[in-house]
Amino acid sequence: MKTILNYMNGELTPPAGGRYLDNEDPSTGKVYSRCPDSGAEDIERAVAAAEAAFPAWSNTSAEMRGRVMSRIADLIEANLDPLAEAECIDNGKPITLARKVDIPRAAANFRFFAGAIQHAASEAHMTDGLALNYTQRRPRGVAGLISPWNLPLYLLTWKVAPAIATGNTAVAKPSEVTPMTAFLLSQLCTEAGLPPGVLNVVHGRGPAAGAALVAHPRVPTISFTGGTVTGAAIASTCAPMFKRLSLELGGKNPNVIFADADLDQAVATSMRSSFANQGQICLCGSRILVERPAFEPFVARLVEGASKLSAGDPLDPATEHGALVSRPHMEKVLACIEVARREGGEILCGGRRVQPPGQRCAGGYFIAPTVITGLGPSCRTNQEEIFGPVVTVAPFDDEQEAVASANETRYGLSATVWTRDLARAHRVAGAIQSGTVWVNCWLLRDLRVPFGGMKHSGLGREGGEDSMRFFTEPKNVCIGMR
Ligand code: NDP
């Protein structure tokens, strides 16, 4: 059985307490590796290593930092197949998705920030000929980076890349549920020549290793992606310590389809935005709202597509629908489907655990793509994040009703709008309360744009300039001129 190790000061290190957690392949339900069950002592050692590396790394030229990061990107690309396989086994996602999306985007994160830091500018302002003000931006020290299990390598590197590009050093705590790609990344960092201590990876449980990192007095910056409840707990630790905090949290995203939309495109893309990664993407559109004249044809086609999307072995390149990440998560999603039934929802397809053909995945955690109708916007099913292959569909009569339903949730991460009416597209995009609105597309990302959520979906924005600002401290220098 493979043993994952922490990465500290450039070395692969066992956890101080010698304890490990079992790591399951969710497509088989079998344990295939073990991962450190680290605690406060490991976090202390990692922070010490990151602190020791900070003076040299923060004084390394942007060009040199960028070069090392570009080498990491090259190595991720060169190791596409083993990384994709590792993510597939760890997470249950189809290997084709890992190959096409997760791993290339992880490389892109390093490449993007390796370049962006070369072009970073700072502001200068003249004050009526009396003074010159300019802004120095300095790295803040050790950054604590906590990431979830759904896109493990992509979301980890989305934080690591801007943190180290701007001259910080980092301690990362990936999800214990999917630790393998972070472990492989730590080996690639050594191979790329990243100096020891610049990135440290501590594996373990959130309430132990994660909480110790958040509470560490010498970690002034915390970037967290995960659930809203965890985000609230982290915020309450960070607030009295005056830490800088970024929270990328949950979503309950509306997918609003007007009757004038290109229905072929809307159906094809809604299949992805509903069920990609088994619905375990924070940006999935889990509440589909369709203008009444298009409701029946849209729902018929969506249900037809969802019924054909059968679960398969995630290691098979032909598979489009894989396993959920763990047994507890599968049970949570099945319980949410039961709630929908109790609330009077009609299950149009799916709604149950399934098994892909063949023996290998007989014990895996698969749920059929599920479409539910007959529920109003305020019921639990339409209010709580399910984070699985489950969507609701409901009709609406006019634009006002669509916007009101779209906004009737405490979340505000993303939304999708389908229409050919340009003016309406702008109006509705402006009126929906969410950090991102996609019009006639979904999941297209430009790493320069601010990414994050409104309301309970988060705090702050990451991406491009926003990430580089987040990880640096601005200082105004005012030079008198008279
Ligand atoms: P969790 O909040 O359970 O966990 C996220 C990370 O936080 C994990 O590494 C976890 O460790 C750690 N953690 C858990 N408890 C604590 C704690 N008390 N202190 C510090 N760290 C802690 O989320 P999931 O992993 O279940 O991820 C799914 C959630 O993430 C969904 O709500 C989804 O919407 C959201 N998400 C948001 C995104 C966005 O950009 N807005 C993107 C992707 C996902 P461990 O797992 O080891 O316990």
Side-chain angles (χ1 to χ4, degrees):
M1 183 174 333
K2 289 178 196 160
T3 296
I4 288 169
L5 295 171
N6 290 330
Y7 176 58
M8 288 189 204
N9 205 22
E11 300 202 337
L12 298 176
T13 315
R19 290 184 308 279
Y20 289 86
L21 302 159
D22 285 342
N23 184 24
E24 268 188 5
D25 172 348
S27 68
T28 62
K30 292 187 182 133
V31 174
Y32 85 101
S33 73
R34 54 184 204 147
C35 146
D37 183 9
S38 308
E41 198 181 328
D42 301 285
I43 291 292
E44 182 57 47
R45 284 163 65 183
V47 171
E51 273 182 322
F54 180 71
W57 183 247
S58 57
N59 284 304
T60 298
S61 68
E63 189 199 345
M64 284 310 297
R65 293 201 300 264
R67 277 191 195 199
V68 180
M69 291 176 59
S70 298
R71 281 202 292 275
I72 298 173
D74 291 343
L75 285 169
I76 292 174
E77 280 163 358
N79 286 279
L80 174 70
D81 285 337
L83 284 166
E85 188 176 311
E87 182 145 319
C88 168
I89 294 172
D90 235 10
N91 177 276
K93 72 179 56 193
I95 193 158
T96 304
L97 185 70
R99 259 197 203 124
K100 282 194 180 156
V101 180
D102 300 61
I103 309 304
R105 284 191 177 196
N109 286 339
F110 278 106
R111 216 176 280 299
F112 175 85
F113 284 105
I117 194 64
Q118 315 304 324
H119 308 284
S122 65
E123 313 87 56
H125 302 280
M126 278 289 229
T127 313
D128 299 328
L130 288 174
L132 169 68
N133 292 273
Y134 69 94
T135 307
Q136 290 186 0
R137 289 197 172 271
R138 297 293 177 105
R140 305 191 79 239
V142 180
L145 313 174
I146 301 180
S147 49
W149 48 256
N150 61 331
L151 307 165
L153 190 63
Y154 171 62
L155 290 173
L156 172 72
T157 54
W158 177 239
K159 299 181 184 306
V160 172
I164 67 173
T166 45
N168 299 274
T169 53
V171 177
K173 208 301 285 175
S175 172
E176 127 235 345
V177 183
T178 54
M180 189 57 87
T181 46
F183 174 57
L184 298 176
L185 175 71
S186 53
Q187 294 168 354
L188 298 182
C189 287
T190 302
E191 201 179 327
L194 188 71
V198 171
L199 172 64
N200 306 274
V201 183
V202 180
H203 297 275
R205 289 170 295 123
L213 178 58
V214 170
H216 198 289
R218 301 196 308 281
V219 179
T221 312
I222 299 289
S223 172
F224 170 80
T225 298
T228 293
V229 172
T230 318
I234 288 175
S236 69
T237 303
C238 289
M241 299 177 84
F242 306 106
K243 295 195 179 210
R244 185 172 291 175
L245 176 63
S246 161
L247 296 173
E248 304 278 351
L249 307 177
K252 190 75 187 171
N253 310 310
N255 177 7
V256 182
I257 295 149
F258 286 94
D260 69 339
D262 178 332
L263 216 58
D264 291 343
Q265 260 195 45
V267 171
T269 305
S270 296
M271 280 295 297
R272 286 198 304 118
S273 68
S274 303
F275 304 122
N277 206 32
Q278 297 69 250
Q280 301 164 125
I281 300 179
C282 54
L283 304 166
C284 276
S286 53
R287 294 181 297 136
I288 306 181
L289 305 165
V290 191
E291 199 170 12
R292 202 169 294 274
F295 185 73
E296 275 191 21
F298 177 89
V299 172
R301 291 173 66 178
L302 185 77
V303 169
E304 189 193 348
S307 307
K308 283 189 192 147
L309 189 60
S310 47
D313 183 340
L315 282 170
D316 180 346
T319 293
E320 290 178 83
H321 189 73
L324 274 78
V325 75
S326 65
R327 176 181 283 278
H329 188 60
M330 175 189 70
E331 285 168 354
K332 181 208 137 179
V333 173
L334 289 171
C336 291
I337 296 171
E338 268 322 296
V339 168
R341 277 201 180 96
R342 283 205 303 276
E343 289 184 313
E346 184 189 348
I347 313 284
L348 298 177
C349 63
R352 64 202 158 79
R353 186 177 179 183
V354 286
Q355 279 189 359
Q359 269 313 298
R360 198 189 83 84
C361 297
Y365 311 131
F366 298 81
I367 293 181
T370 301
V371 180
I372 304 172
T373 193
L375 294 172
S378 60
C379 67
R380 271 182 70 189
T381 305
N382 277 324
Q383 289 295 318
E384 293 171 8
E385 188 181 41
I386 297 174
F387 217 55
V390 180
V391 293
T392 60
V393 283
F396 66 85
D397 288 308
D398 57 33
E399 188 178 312
Q400 209 182 357
E401 186 191 347
V403 170
S405 296
N407 287 339
E408 198 175 333
T409 153
R410 68 187 175 120
Y411 294 107
L413 188 57
S414 71
T416 312
V417 178
W418 292 91
T419 179
R420 286 179 164 124
D421 179 336
L422 188 59
R424 175 157 62 195
H426 287 293
R427 262 195 324 271
V428 175
I432 291 182
Q433 296 156 349
S434 68
T436 297
V437 179
W438 280 289
V439 178
N440 299 334
C441 62
W442 178 70
L443 211 60
L444 292 181
R445 287 289 306 278
D446 182 322
L447 299 187
R448 292 168 296 188
V449 305
F451 175 78
M454 293 170 69
K455 304 198 281 190
H456 287 205
S457 287
L459 202 64
R461 293 291 183 274
E462 294 188 3
E465 270 299 309
D466 291 273
S467 288
M468 295 202 292
R469 282 174 185 252
F470 175 75
F471 285 110
T472 53
E473 192 69 42
K475 179 191 289 177
N476 181 54
V477 180
C478 177
I479 302 175
M481 293 173 65
R482 292 226 175 127

